[in-house]
């Protein structure tokens, strides 16, 4: 009887801890760090990209948080070797407001996150400014969160449904605009993250 009581008490405590993490008035702290490198050996082409976006959110009601991420993105593409080499770089400031809804009453919770990523920056060829870069998008990403402790959530998600509009406004000439839309639910390339709840 004593073992049964202890087991039930532990199960209730675990359920309470998981629910307390996403209740009204709590904060969520996390972010995104990414780095990509591509090299084409025979063509002497290299590409580097780096993104850092810390984010913070606030639970306006139980299981519903709103917040934003603010960060920096960098991309450099180099072609050629020695005297004939050239490089293009992009530096951008990024903002990504989001709303996130959790469902579930245990240590595992499903969530859906709607975000609106935006970025503004400059593009250069070697040391010459090519123009200003802008990017606006919307993304709906599903995922699961596991809460091993009362302060930490380990997340597994996919990019989901997205739309992005990117443009470069050159110093001379007309704007170049790119639109992309897609559904990326590849279970073989998920996003893994850690969020802190307090």
């Amino acid at each position: 009887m004593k073992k049964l009581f202890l087991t039930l008490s532990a199960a209730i405590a675990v359920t309470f801890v998981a629910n307390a993490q996403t209740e009204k008035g709590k904060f969520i702290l996390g972010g995104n760090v990414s780095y990509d490198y591509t090299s084409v050996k025979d063509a002497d082409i290299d590409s580097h990209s780096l993104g850092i976006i810390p984010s913070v959110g606030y639970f306006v009601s139980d299981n519903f948080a709103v917040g934003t991420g603010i960060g920096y993105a960098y991309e450099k593409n180099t072609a050629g070797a020695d005297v004939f080499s050239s490089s293009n770089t992009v530096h951008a400031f990024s903002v990504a407001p989001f709303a996130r809804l959790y469902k579930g009453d245990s240590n595992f919770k499903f969530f859906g996150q709607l975000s609106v990523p935006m970025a503004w920056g400059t593009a250069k060829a070697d040391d010459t400014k090519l123009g200003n870069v802008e990017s606006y998008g919307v993304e709906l990403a599903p995922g699961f969160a596991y809460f091993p402790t009362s302060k930490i959530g380990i997340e597994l998600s996919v990019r989901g449904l997205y739309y992005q509009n990117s443009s470069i406004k050159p110093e001379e000439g007309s704007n170049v605009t790119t639109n992309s839309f897609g559904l990326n639910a590849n279970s073989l390339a998920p996003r893994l993250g850690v969020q802190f709840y307090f």
Side-chain angles (χ1 to χ4, degrees):
M1 183 70 169
K2 187 176 181 181
K3 288 182 182 178
L4 178 62
F5 177 73
L6 289 175
T7 303
L8 288 175
S9 298
I12 291 169
V14 165
T15 301
F16 175 74
V17 166
N19 288 335
Q21 291 158 335
T22 59
E23 69 185 11
K24 182 178 179 179
K26 298 284 185 177
F27 286 90
I28 181 173
L29 180 66
N32 182 13
V33 176
S34 63
Y35 175 77
D36 291 308
Y37 172 74
T38 304
S39 176
V40 181
K41 184 178 178 182
D42 294 334
D44 290 323
I45 298 172
D46 290 331
S47 176
H48 299 267
S49 65
L50 171 70
I52 302 171
I53 305 176
S55 62
V56 64
Y58 177 74
F59 285 91
V60 294
S61 65
D62 288 354
N63 296 316
F64 183 68
V66 295
T68 191
I70 298 175
Y72 169 77
Y74 168 80
E75 184 177 336
K76 181 175 183 177
N77 299 302
T78 306
D82 304 325
V83 224
F84 301 108
S85 69
S86 65
S87 66
N88 296 329
T89 58
V90 175
H91 298 269
F93 169 76
S94 57
V95 176
F98 67 87
R100 179 182 277 204
L101 178 65
Y102 289 85
K103 289 291 184 184
D105 292 325
S106 66
N107 286 26
F108 290 94
K109 289 192 177 189
F110 171 79
F111 67 85
Q113 178 169 302
L114 178 66
S115 59
V116 184
M118 300 172 276
W120 305 271
T122 57
K124 291 183 177 181
D126 294 321
D127 291 328
T128 306
K129 182 178 176 181
L130 295 176
N132 295 321
V133 178
E134 292 182 1
S135 176
Y136 302 94
V138 64
E139 182 177 301
L140 181 60
F144 289 94
Y146 168 66
F147 298 98
T149 72
S150 62
K151 303 282 185 191
I152 297 175
I154 299 171
E155 299 179 353
L156 187 67
S157 65
V158 294
R159 185 174 186 191
L161 189 63
Y162 67 92
Y163 167 77
Q164 185 170 358
N165 174 283
S166 302
S167 64
I168 181 166
K169 298 178 181 178
E171 296 292 296
E172 296 178 6
S174 57
N175 294 354
V176 177
T177 302
T178 305
N179 290 303
S180 57
F181 173 80
L183 174 63
N184 188 344
N186 186 354
S187 62
L188 298 176
R191 296 175 177 174
L192 182 63
V194 177
Q195 299 279 359
F196 297 95
Y197 297 78
F198 55 97

